[in-house]
Amino acid sequence: VREEAGQRYRAKQEPENSEPLVRLVAEVLEAEPERQPRIESVLPWDGTLWLSAQRKTGKTVMLVNMAHSLLTGEKFLGECAVVPLAPDERVALLNFEVTPATVASMFNLRGVPLDRVVQVDLRGRANPFHEPKKLRALGEQLKALNVKSLFIDTFSHAFTGDSQNDATQVRAWIRQANQWARLVVGATDLVVTDHAGHAEAMRASGSSAKEADADHIMHLALSDPKDQNSPRHIRTFGRTEDLTKGEAVLDKATWTVTYREIDSDEKKNARADQALADMGRAEDAVRLALLQATEPLRAQELCDAA
């Protein structure tokens, strides 16, 4: 009885018109010819972008710049060509993290057409992904506003599972978000921001299913994780052309982010600076181990102690 009840419940959560499409490949190509990316090297057409970023590196700022490019047609980051939205189409941001006034001010300073951005403020409010009826009602509101590009900021607040390390739960939420965005809202583009893990600066924290199920992935991280003021590095990879690792340069006066490729000399200098910093930390550790030692240490013992 419990198993059948669970099956019935899951079936009721499926959006309308979500049955499988059974077609010949020839019919698919005729009905849906391949399109160029919505944003070159960033977002394939009708795709999902997973933006994994270290804390306070500019996830929301990146979304503001993305909205500007999608609505104006200007190159994203000053580098990536864009297929802009039609004049009657809009961008929507599900804002779980930042105060409403802060986000609105960022859109305004960046010069985004304000009548074409829908701001859904959810900070401190109920998560609509927990309740199918509320989620459908929100989706129908966004559909009525002709939203075609949907941003969710951030995954950790929108997620409805018990553990982000559970691939099954993560995949269930991603499937729900994709179905809702495309079948209820009618959007073609979905962008989800997420927090990067601590051990590996660029990769999303939690289950690998997050990035595995996305069409394209963007990583945003500090060049020196221990220095909040160090340059931001950005890279993308996935099902369209990659954007090689470079620097994301921010103009705080206008919240404009531009991409600057790191040349080979800069890379060598950066590696040398990092090696020097690592050496300095190692020397301090060795010095402390020697000072605390109560008897002579062999080389391996010294390394272990340090």
Side-chain angles (χ1 to χ4, degrees):
V1 170
R2 189 175 294 115
E3 182 180 349
E4 183 177 348
Q7 291 174 350
R8 289 186 184 183
Y9 176 77
R10 286 190 293 273
K12 289 179 70 174
Q13 309 315 308
E14 297 286 347
E16 297 174 7
N17 303 321
S18 62
E19 65 276 1
L21 290 176
V22 182
R23 297 176 290 179
L24 296 174
V25 172
E27 295 173 322
V28 176
L29 291 175
E30 183 177 354
E32 302 176 26
E34 188 174 4
R35 303 282 298 270
Q36 66 184 95
R38 173 68 85 180
I39 304 177
E40 184 183 50
S41 302
V42 175
L43 182 60
W45 187 266
D46 196 20
T48 299
L49 171 68
W50 202 273
L51 196 172
S52 302
Q54 278 188 314
R55 60 185 178 87
K56 305 304 179 187
T57 51
K59 295 186 295 295
T60 308
V61 176
M62 196 63 69
L63 294 181
V64 169
N65 278 265
M66 198 174 294
H68 180 270
S69 293
L70 289 170
L71 295 174
T72 65
E74 291 186 18
K75 287 186 175 182
F76 178 56
L77 302 176
E79 177 78 15
C80 307
V82 175
V83 178
L85 299 180
D88 63 336
E89 295 175 340
R90 290 186 169 96
V91 172
L93 169 66
L94 271 59
N95 170 37
F96 285 90
E97 277 201 339
V98 186
T99 62
T102 299
V103 177
S105 176
M106 291 166 68
F107 279 121
N108 188 36
L109 286 174
R110 185 63 184 91
V112 179
L114 302 181
D115 60 342
R116 296 183 63 196
V117 180
V118 182
Q119 185 172 315
V120 183
D121 292 308
L122 294 162
R123 173 171 162 161
R125 298 179 179 273
N127 178 7
F129 285 94
H130 277 297
E131 297 193 38
K133 288 184 178 179
K134 289 185 178 179
L135 187 63
R136 174 170 283 278
L138 174 59
E140 290 171 350
Q141 281 184 282
L142 298 179
K143 183 178 181 67
L145 291 166
N146 204 19
V147 168
K148 293 300 179 184
S149 294
L150 184 65
F151 302 160
I152 299 177
D153 188 27
T154 63
F155 167 80
S156 60
H157 291 291
F159 182 55
T160 54
D162 299 319
S163 171
Q164 293 188 38
N165 293 311
D166 188 320
T168 301
Q169 294 184 28
V170 168
R171 283 202 165 97
W173 183 90
I174 292 173
R175 184 169 182 268
Q176 179 191 23
N178 266 297
Q179 287 184 329
W180 175 68
R182 288 172 168 95
L183 297 178
V184 181
V185 179
T188 55
D189 316 311
L190 177 61
V191 180
V192 181
T193 67
D194 193 14
H195 296 281
H198 297 292
E200 191 176 345
M202 308 271 291
R203 181 189 166 281
S205 62
S207 171
S208 60
K210 294 176 177 181
E211 295 188 355
D213 287 5
D215 295 297
H216 214 69
I217 299 158
M218 176 185 290
H219 285 165
L220 187 63
L222 296 167
S223 55
D224 181 358
K226 299 181 183 298
D227 181 5
Q228 194 65 40
N229 296 315
S230 63
R232 272 69 170 157
H233 284 173
I234 184 174
R235 68 174 180 180
T236 72
F237 56 96
R239 293 179 181 157
T240 182
E241 189 176 338
D242 298 347
L243 185 68
T244 58
K245 186 176 179 181
E247 184 179 347
V249 183
L250 172 64
D251 177 1
K252 287 190 176 181
T254 61
W255 291 111
T256 301
V257 180
T258 52
Y259 169 84
R260 185 170 70 91
E261 188 173 356
I262 304 173
D263 62 35
S264 57
D265 288 338
E266 284 187 273
K267 289 179 181 178
K268 289 178 183 177
N269 291 335
R271 284 196 294 268
D273 290 341
Q274 186 62 50
L276 192 60
D278 291 342
M279 188 186 299
R281 284 193 290 271
E283 286 176 353
D284 291 341
V286 168
R287 190 175 292 110
L288 181 62
L290 286 170
L291 288 171
Q292 293 177 340
T294 57
E295 58 185 33
L297 297 174
R298 294 181 180 276
Q300 186 58 51
E301 294 170 339
L302 179 59
C303 290
D304 293 342

